[in-house]
């Protein structure tokens, strides 16, 4: 506008102060006329700033002593004087009569000059800057209403102002066409309108390149310009699906869809922004940011502060979302989403604070940063409706797809967890007609987002994990039945028929990593015959909880991979010491699903015929008693293993059942039954034990009921002679006369038989007892078997004429290893003489004791000799000589390492007692010696060669 001339309209009475540029106009005879008839003349008015942008505050304390603010630029009103017209009167009244002038506006679709957004082709256009940094231009014919001269009322002059309305007097339409730089351009976060919001208003009111979208202008119910700022009521709503489609197609469009602005003399009274987005469940929602001017007393009580206070809440615009896989584009046919739809009942949240609606955020509650828990009604795959309480994440409309997935998965698990309070939910599609087979009580559900290509969010929730209560497990595990699970990969990828067992859940840990659930029975519940502990890691729809190997292979009617099966049952023990997994044989084809609907008598037949080669948990409600019944059933096939030669299970069968009944009033009754048939044991190649049947029944509140039949023992090796005494033993050692003792520590079963005295001439054998005892502890200790010929504290007696003696032998086996072999033998004689005036006697005894154990080797021998002499009963002399010699290996620490060295220990005692009448005196002499080997001592083989040893032995044989 190099040819423009500037005038200044200045009227102090009503504060009119307007610079005016005259373009292509000249003054003639008191009028402004067009100078160059080839182009129009322009009258350009530059009104003072019409708006002040100021930051908001949460409280009045934050608003004092002041808040930052930025003034808008001037408003440009450009009017044309067409060529051939008589011109414009050259006085204030005529210049302010804008009805006689033509308003120069930016045409629809027109682009302002790049270096000056207030100009088109180098000439100014009408550009109303309201709010700060947003340029507006009227659309369509307009009408101006103002006073040419000052207006007085009761001695007061009215502020100069002009109304801008539509030509017909209705609401005014305005388009935003540019966002000039500066004032401020750094995106002050506390300003009501951010740079992106301003740009969104320009796009929404002018864009013509969005397919299917017709731009809608802003609507002003009141638009008043003054020297002190604009008084305005305007707004716009752009709820057009074409905008969402444009975002889906990648157009960098913002999220603003609603805008309302009320201002008085340039100061904001109300600014409301509605920004569209979606909740993490896929529901369309909006964030409403409201900035409202409040008048409150300052904290010190000295003044009233007027500040903009921000309030934010979230509104749900789409109450229900359906998760039809074909419609939303789920992968895997949406099998990892247990709900077919979710409906949100609370469509508007309470006021929230501290959120940035331009970024994803967890919807907070009650002006705190704790999550707001929405109430949702979910419909599962069987049409069952359940209530969920869950935090939700709001995603702005331009955050979709992988960006939303990454954000959601990076949030804390508590944000992604929905509470269901134990409601029954079908977590997967049930196979065939098995209604309810996949329904479990769910305590909580952990969600994640997965790709959904056809949904506007491009991502929708799926189940990452769930804490469920498995009725078949809650009474037989120490977890109360609550288990973390995730949908099984074969089910998600292939569907309900991926495995014939209907496996649909996998056990996971709290971090949703693969895990297993130990199904452990205390030995007190199964009598030590077998601990059927197993690790459950699959939940099936047709066979209940199973080990993964069982769900994937056995249920398919194929031979299971034996290593996988053994791993599943690695915690199970037989007789307290043997890993049951080592004894498990190949699992024959078996479909556990067939057991699900069998009657109890049919199940009994399967137990009796060893027809349940894998553990099966049956859970059902007894219609007669209304009790919940849980049965754990298992009859594994056993086979011999080379490194467990002491146990022979080639013909053995094992049947286990744990039955739990829960009445409607919560009372629980349980019974565990174990039966082991045709078991053979071989203890240290000395004793063989065979059992036709061992049965154990345990009920709470009573002693376990133990019974055994068909027990036979045979002795081998050094104990083979005992077989010659079998005629004095009962045919059934555990039958009549046997003892069974049940205590809190375990079960002891066995017998103790006293043999009749044997006398042949001068030889007699008395006090001989044969005893055998089998001990099955109630803890993790292995079984023990002890065989004894008499006892240490009660030895057998042997006499040959004047010579007598005795002893005992005992063998204890712990599990598959000898624990202690011990024995003792004592022999000697005595003689007495009486000569009348003197009498006396002498005795000589010798003995040996040995003990052999894993950590103990002890051999001890002794000689005891004593004699006494009494003369007339007045003088008595007695002498006793004792000599003992023991050999054992002792532990000695050498250089920090414990080693065993042989040690010989000798002890000798001589005691002499003299008694004369009433006086007596006793003297003892005691001697001890120890001889211990050393690390450097040569071994015995270096002193005595094989030839020397043979010669030595032959000398004794001769």
């Amino acid at each position: 506008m190099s040819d423009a001339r500037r005038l200044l309209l200045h009227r102090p009475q009503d504060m009119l102060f307007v610079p005016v540029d005259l373009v292509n106009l000249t003054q003639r005879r008191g009028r402004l006329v067009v100078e160059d008839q080839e182009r129009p003349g322009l009258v350009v008015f530059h009104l003072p700033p019409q708006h002040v942008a100021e930051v908001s505050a949460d409280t009045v304390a934050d608003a004092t002593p002041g808040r930052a603010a930025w003034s808008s630029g001037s408003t440009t009103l450009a009017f044309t004087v067409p060529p051939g017209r008589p011109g414009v009167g050259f006085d204030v009244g005529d210049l302010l009569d804008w009805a006689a002038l033509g308003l120069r506006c930016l045409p629809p679709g027109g682009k302002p000059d790049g270096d000056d957004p207030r100009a088109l082709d180098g000439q100014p256009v009408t550009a109303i800057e309201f709010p700060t940094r947003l340029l507006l231009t009227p659309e369509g014919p307009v009408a101006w209403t103002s006073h040419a001269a000052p207006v007085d009322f009761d001695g007061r002059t009215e502020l100069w102002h002009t109304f801008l309305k539509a030509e017909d007097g209705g609401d005014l339409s305005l388009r935003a066409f540019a966002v000039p730089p500066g004032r401020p351009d750094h995106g002050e976060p506390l300003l009501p309108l951010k740079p992106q919001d301003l740009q969104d208003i320009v796009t929404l009111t002018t864009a013509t390149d969005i397919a299917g979208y017709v731009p809608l202008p802003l609507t002003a119910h009141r638009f008043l310009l003054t020297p002190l700022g604009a008084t305005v009521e305007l707004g716009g709503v752009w709820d057009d699906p074409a905008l969402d489609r444009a975002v889906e197609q990648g157009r960098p469009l913002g999220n603003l869809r609603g805008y309302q602005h009320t201002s008085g003399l340039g100061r904001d009274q109300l600014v409301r922004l509605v920004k569209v987005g979606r909740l993490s469940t896929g529901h369309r929602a909006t964030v409403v940011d409201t900035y409202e001017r409040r008048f409150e007393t300052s904290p010190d009580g000295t003044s009233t502060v007027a500040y903009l206070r921000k309030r934010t809440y979230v509104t749900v615009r789409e109450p229900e979302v359906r998760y039809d896989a074909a419609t939303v584009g789920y992968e895997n046919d949406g099998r990892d989403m247990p709900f077919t739809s979710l409906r949100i009942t609370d469509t508007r949240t309470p006021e929230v604070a501290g959120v940035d609606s331009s970024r994803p955020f967890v919807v907070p509650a009650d002006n705190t940063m704790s999550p707001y828990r929405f109430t949702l009604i979910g419909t599962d795959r069987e049409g069952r409706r359940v209530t969920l309480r869950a935090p939700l994440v709001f995603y702005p409309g331009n955050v979709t797809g992988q960006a939303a997935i990454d954000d959601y998965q990076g949030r804390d698990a508590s944000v992604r967890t929905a509470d269901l309070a134990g409601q029954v939910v079908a977590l997967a599609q049930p196979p065939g007609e098995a209604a309810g087979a996949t329904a479990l009580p769910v305590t909580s559900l952990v969600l994640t987002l997965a790709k959904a290509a056809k949904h506007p969010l491009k991502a929708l929730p799926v189940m990452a994990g769930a804490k469920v209560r498995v009725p078949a497990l809650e009474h037989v595990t120490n977890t109360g039945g609550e288990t973390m699970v995730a949908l099984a990969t074969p089910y998600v990828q292939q569907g309900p028929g991926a495995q014939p067992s209907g496996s649909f859940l996998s056990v996971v840990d709290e971090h949703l990593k693969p895990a297993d659930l130990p199904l452990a029975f205390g030995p007190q519940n199964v009598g030590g015959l077998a601990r059927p502990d197993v690790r459950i890691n699959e939940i099936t729809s047709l066979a209940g909880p199973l080990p993964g190997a069982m769900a994937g292979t056995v249920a398919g009617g194929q031979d299971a991979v034996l290593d996988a099966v053994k791993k599943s049952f690695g915690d199970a023990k037989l007789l307290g010491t043997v890993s049951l997994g080592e004894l498990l044989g190949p699992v024959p084809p078996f479909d556990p699903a067939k057991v699900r609907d069998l009657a109890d008598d049919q199940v009994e037949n399967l137990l009796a015929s060893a027809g349940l080669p894998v553990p099966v948990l049956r859970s059902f409600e007894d219609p007669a008693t209304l009790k919940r019944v849980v049965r754990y059933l298992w009859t594994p096939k056993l086979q011999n293993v080379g490194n467990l030669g002491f146990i022979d299970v080639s013909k053995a069968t094992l049947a286990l059942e744990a039955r739990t009944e829960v009445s409607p009033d919560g009372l629980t009754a349980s019974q565990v039954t174990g039966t082991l048939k045709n078991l053979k044991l071989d203890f240290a190649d000395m004793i063989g034990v065979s059992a036709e049947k061992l049965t154990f029944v345990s009920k709470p509140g009573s002693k376990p009921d133990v019974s055994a039949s068909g027990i036979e023992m045979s002795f081998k090796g050094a104990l083979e002679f005992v077989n010659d005494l079998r005629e004095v033993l009962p045919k059934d050692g555990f039958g009549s006369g046997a003892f069974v003792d049940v205590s809190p520590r375990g079960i002891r079963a066995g017998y103790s038989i006293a043999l009749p005295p044997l006398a042949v001439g001068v030889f007699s054998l008395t006090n001989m007892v044969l005893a055998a005892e089998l001990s099955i502890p109630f803890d993790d200790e292995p079984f023990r078997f002890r065989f004894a010929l008499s006892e240490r504290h009660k030895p057998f007696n042997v006499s040959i004429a004047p010579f007598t003696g005795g002893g005992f032998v005992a063998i204890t086996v712990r599990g598959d290893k000898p624990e202690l072999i011990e024995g003792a033998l004592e022999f000697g004689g005595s003689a007495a003489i009486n000569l009348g005036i003197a009498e006396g006697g002498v005795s000589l005894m010798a003995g040996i004791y040995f003990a052999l154990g894993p950590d103990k080797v002890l051999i001890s021998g002794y000689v005891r000799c004593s004699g006494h002499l009494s003369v007339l009963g007045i003088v008595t002399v007695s002498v006793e000589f004792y000599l003992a010699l023991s050999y054992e290996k002792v532990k000695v620490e050498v250089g920090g390492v414990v080693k065993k060295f042989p040690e010989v220990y000798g002890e000798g005692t001589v005691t002499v007692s003299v008694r004369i009448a009433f006086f007596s005196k006793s003297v003892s002499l005691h001697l001890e010696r120890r001889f211990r080997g050393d690390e450097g001592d040569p071994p015995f083989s270096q002193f005595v060669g094989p030839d020397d040893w043979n010669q030595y032995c032959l000398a004794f044989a001769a």
Side-chain angles (χ1 to χ4, degrees):
M1 294 191 304
S2 59
D3 59 345
R5 290 177 294 171
R6 173 156 293 192
L7 304 176
L8 179 62
L9 299 182
H10 185 199
R11 196 165 59 195
Q13 298 98 315
D14 54 5
M15 300 185 67
L16 174 64
F17 186 88
V18 180
V20 182
D21 290 330
L22 304 177
V23 181
N24 194 26
L25 292 174
T26 186
Q27 179 182 0
R28 292 178 186 173
R29 299 177 182 178
R31 298 184 68 83
L32 294 174
V33 297
V34 177
E35 187 173 8
D36 183 357
Q37 295 297 319
E38 298 296 326
R39 53 192 180 92
L42 296 177
V43 182
V44 182
F45 297 87
H46 299 282
L47 272 63
Q50 297 296 303
H51 182 255
V52 175
E54 55 186 290
V55 298
S56 62
D58 291 330
T59 65
V60 67
D62 297 332
T64 53
R67 305 292 284 170
W70 290 265
S71 174
S72 68
S74 62
T75 286
T76 301
L77 301 179
F79 295 91
T80 61
V81 180
R85 293 288 180 91
V88 180
F90 191 57
D91 59 28
V92 175
D94 290 333
L95 288 175
L96 294 180
D97 184 10
W98 295 340
L101 301 175
L103 188 65
R104 174 178 167 82
C105 298
L106 188 71
K111 300 294 183 182
D113 294 349
D115 54 348
D116 184 4
R118 300 170 183 266
L120 176 64
D121 298 330
Q123 297 297 327
V125 294
T126 297
I128 303 171
E129 185 169 337
F130 184 93
T132 301
R133 295 189 64 229
L134 183 65
L135 299 183
L136 306 178
T137 187
E139 181 181 73
V142 298
W144 299 90
T145 301
S146 62
H147 295 287
V151 178
D152 293 329
F153 293 97
D154 297 330
R156 294 181 176 85
T157 302
E158 183 182 75
L159 179 70
W160 179 85
H161 58 274
T162 181
F163 282 98
L164 179 59
K165 296 183 179 181
E167 188 177 40
D168 58 2
D171 293 338
L172 176 68
S173 295
L174 297 157
R175 293 190 183 274
F177 65 89
V179 179
R183 304 180 311 277
D185 60 359
H186 56 272
E188 166 60 48
L190 296 180
L191 284 175
L193 289 160
K194 314 298 189 296
Q196 181 62 51
D197 300 329
L198 299 174
Q199 189 60 53
D200 283 350
I201 296 174
V202 173
T203 302
L204 294 169
T205 59
T206 62
T208 58
D209 58 346
I210 299 177
Y213 175 66
V214 178
L216 296 176
L218 294 168
T219 299
H221 302 293
R222 181 180 179 87
F223 207 92
L224 176 68
L225 303 177
T226 77
L228 297 182
T231 297
V232 172
E233 294 180 17
L234 63 76
V237 176
W238 303 275
D239 193 9
D240 192 324
L243 298 172
D244 294 335
R245 291 195 296 270
V247 173
E248 293 176 28
Q249 295 167 5
R251 182 183 176 104
L253 183 65
N255 308 310
L256 187 68
R257 296 294 183 273
Y259 168 54
Q260 180 183 355
H261 204 141
T262 301
S263 179
L265 297 181
R267 297 291 301 277
D268 290 334
Q269 306 300 319
L270 175 69
V271 179
R272 179 175 288 116
L273 304 172
V274 179
K275 297 181 180 179
V276 72
R278 295 201 175 253
L279 298 174
S280 51
T281 49
H283 294 79
R284 191 167 189 266
T286 55
V287 173
V288 180
D289 291 326
T290 301
Y291 300 84
E292 188 173 11
R293 188 166 301 280
R294 296 174 64 93
F295 294 81
E296 295 184 11
T297 303
S298 62
D300 58 8
T302 60
S303 61
T304 298
V305 180
Y307 69 100
L308 286 178
R309 182 180 183 274
K310 179 183 178 183
R311 294 184 299 114
T312 302
Y313 55 88
V314 177
T315 300
V316 179
R317 303 292 298 277
E318 182 184 17
E320 184 175 33
V321 171
R322 296 186 177 275
Y323 301 104
D324 177 68
T327 303
V328 302
Y330 265 133
E331 297 179 342
N332 299 314
D333 289 334
R335 283 184 288 269
D336 42 2
M337 178 53 172
F339 297 104
T340 59
S341 67
L342 287 175
R343 172 177 288 274
I344 297 179
T345 61
D346 35 5
T347 56
R348 174 173 170 172
T349 69
E351 180 181 345
V352 300
V355 300
D356 181 356
S357 57
S358 65
R359 298 180 179 181
F361 63 88
V362 179
V363 180
D366 299 330
N367 287 323
T368 68
M369 294 312 295
S370 59
Y372 176 77
R373 307 190 77 83
F374 287 81
T375 300
L376 303 96
I377 306 298
T379 303
D380 71 8
R381 292 183 172 272
E382 293 186 327
R384 189 182 293 106
R385 292 190 176 184
V386 296
T387 301
L388 299 83
R389 296 272 294 166
L392 298 180
V393 180
F394 178 86
Y395 289 103
N398 53 0
V399 178
T400 61
Q402 193 61 46
I405 294 174
D406 293 342
D407 173 84
Y408 194 75
Q409 291 178 343
R411 296 190 180 274
D412 187 77
S414 62
V415 174
R416 299 182 287 113
T417 300
D419 296 329
L420 283 90
Q423 298 171 90
V424 175
V425 179
L427 296 176
Q429 182 67 39
E433 301 298 326
T438 60
L440 293 172
V442 179
T443 302
S444 59
L445 196 69
V446 182
L447 300 172
T448 188
L449 292 185
K451 293 180 179 179
K454 298 180 181 179
H455 189 270
L457 186 59
K458 303 296 183 183
L460 286 176
V462 295
M463 171 181 154
K467 180 175 287 187
V468 303
R469 185 170 56 82
V470 184
L473 294 176
E474 63 180 328
H475 300 296
V476 290
T477 65
N478 56 6
T479 63
E482 283 198 347
T483 306
M484 283 299 299
V485 297
L487 289 169
T489 301
Y491 164 77
V492 173
Q493 294 179 349
Q494 304 173 40
Q499 295 178 350
S501 65
S503 175
F504 69 101
L505 292 177
S506 297
V507 178
V508 296
D509 61 17
E510 59 180 0
H511 303 294
L512 304 181
K513 302 296 183 182
D516 48 39
L517 179 66
L519 181 58
F521 292 84
Q524 70 274 12
N525 290 334
V526 291
L529 294 180
R531 289 184 58 184
D533 298 350
V534 65
R535 295 189 175 275
I536 300 294
N537 44 31
E538 296 286 336
I539 310 297
T540 70
S541 59
L542 299 178
L546 285 178
M550 302 294 98
T553 56
V554 176
Q558 306 170 5
D559 290 338
V561 179
L562 192 56
D563 290 341
V565 179
K566 288 182 177 181
K567 182 178 179 181
S568 299
F569 303 105
D571 294 337
K573 299 292 184 182
L574 183 68
L575 297 177
T577 186
V578 182
S579 173
L580 190 56
E582 293 188 60
L583 297 177
L584 288 177
V587 180
F590 177 73
D591 186 357
K594 296 180 180 179
V595 185
R596 186 170 60 101
D597 299 321
L598 293 182
D600 277 357
D601 57 344
Q602 295 173 305
V603 174
E604 298 296 339
N605 292 334
L606 286 177
L607 280 174
S609 61
L612 296 172
V614 298
V616 175
L617 277 172
R618 301 185 72 227
S619 178
F620 58 91
E621 185 175 283
D622 188 334
T625 62
L626 300 181
K627 292 182 178 180
R628 167 61 60 175
V629 180
V630 180
R631 299 187 71 185
Y632 175 90
L633 312 166
W634 191 24
T635 56
K637 181 177 177 59
L638 307 178
Q639 68 178 4
N640 287 336
V641 181
N643 62 340
L644 297 175
F646 73 97
I647 184 169
D648 181 4
V649 293
S650 58
K651 298 181 180 179
T653 59
L654 175 64
L656 296 170
E657 178 187 4
R659 183 185 181 100
T660 302
E661 297 182 356
V662 183
S663 62
D665 55 6
L667 297 179
T668 301
S670 60
Q671 175 177 307
V672 180
T673 304
T675 302
L676 184 62
K677 297 179 180 180
N678 301 324
L679 174 68
K680 293 183 179 181
L681 302 173
D682 187 348
F683 298 101
D685 289 328
M686 292 182 291
I687 302 172
V689 178
S690 62
E692 181 180 317
K693 185 177 182 181
L694 296 175
T695 303
F696 179 91
V697 179
S698 173
K699 298 180 181 179
S702 61
K703 285 188 175 183
D705 181 10
V706 181
S707 63
S709 62
I711 302 296
E712 293 186 1
M713 293 186 180
S714 62
F715 300 88
K716 299 181 292 183
L719 298 180
E720 192 173 3
F721 73 93
V722 180
N723 291 329
D724 297 334
L725 303 176
R726 292 180 63 85
E727 65 273 10
V728 302
L729 298 177
K731 298 300 181 183
D732 189 344
F734 283 74
S736 177
F739 68 87
V740 176
D741 177 31
V742 180
S743 69
R745 295 181 57 84
I747 298 174
R748 291 173 57 247
Y751 64 86
S752 178
I753 301 298
L755 301 181
L758 298 177
V760 180
V762 296
F763 172 81
S764 68
L765 177 63
T766 61
N767 202 34
M768 188 168 68
V769 178
L770 287 178
E773 179 182 313
L774 180 63
S775 175
I776 302 175
F778 280 168
D779 50 26
D780 287 332
E781 289 294 317
F783 66 88
R784 279 183 172 85
F785 180 82
R786 186 175 188 275
F787 172 80
L789 178 61
S790 298
E791 298 290 348
R792 186 174 186 176
H793 61 279
K794 192 175 181 180
F796 59 82
N797 297 322
V798 179
S799 64
I800 304 175
F803 303 101
T804 186
F808 79 98
V809 177
I811 301 173
T812 303
V813 178
R814 181 178 183 269
D816 59 339
K817 298 179 180 179
E819 184 176 50
L820 180 63
I821 302 175
E822 62 175 345
L825 183 63
E826 184 180 59
F827 202 77
S830 63
I833 186 173
N834 190 342
L835 300 176
I837 61 173
E839 63 175 346
V842 64
S843 67
L844 176 65
M845 300 295 291
I848 185 171
Y849 170 80
F850 68 90
L852 174 63
D855 300 320
K856 180 179 182 180
V857 176
L858 175 64
I859 301 175
S860 179
Y862 70 91
V863 175
R864 186 189 305 273
C865 180
S866 64
H868 70 276
L869 177 65
S870 176
V871 180
L872 298 175
I874 300 175
V875 178
T876 301
V877 178
S878 63
V879 179
E880 183 179 61
F881 172 77
Y882 173 79
L883 177 64
L885 193 64
S886 301
Y887 169 86
E888 65 178 330
K889 284 189 175 182
V890 297
K891 294 181 180 179
V892 180
E893 185 175 341
V894 179
V897 179
V898 178
K899 296 184 176 181
K900 290 183 178 180
F901 293 103
E903 180 179 86
V904 176
Y905 168 73
E907 178 183 12
T909 303
V910 176
T911 302
V912 179
S913 299
V914 178
R915 183 172 62 85
I916 302 175
F918 300 106
F919 171 79
S920 65
K921 181 65 175 178
S922 178
V923 178
S924 296
L925 300 177
H926 186 74
L927 176 65
E928 290 185 9
R929 287 290 185 269
R930 291 180 182 271
F931 305 95
R932 180 181 300 168
D934 191 84
E935 195 170 12
D937 290 345
F940 179 77
S941 60
Q942 293 184 7
F943 287 95
V944 181
D947 295 337
D948 298 329
W949 178 252
N950 291 336
Q951 186 178 357
Y952 174 79
C953 293
L954 290 173
F956 279 90

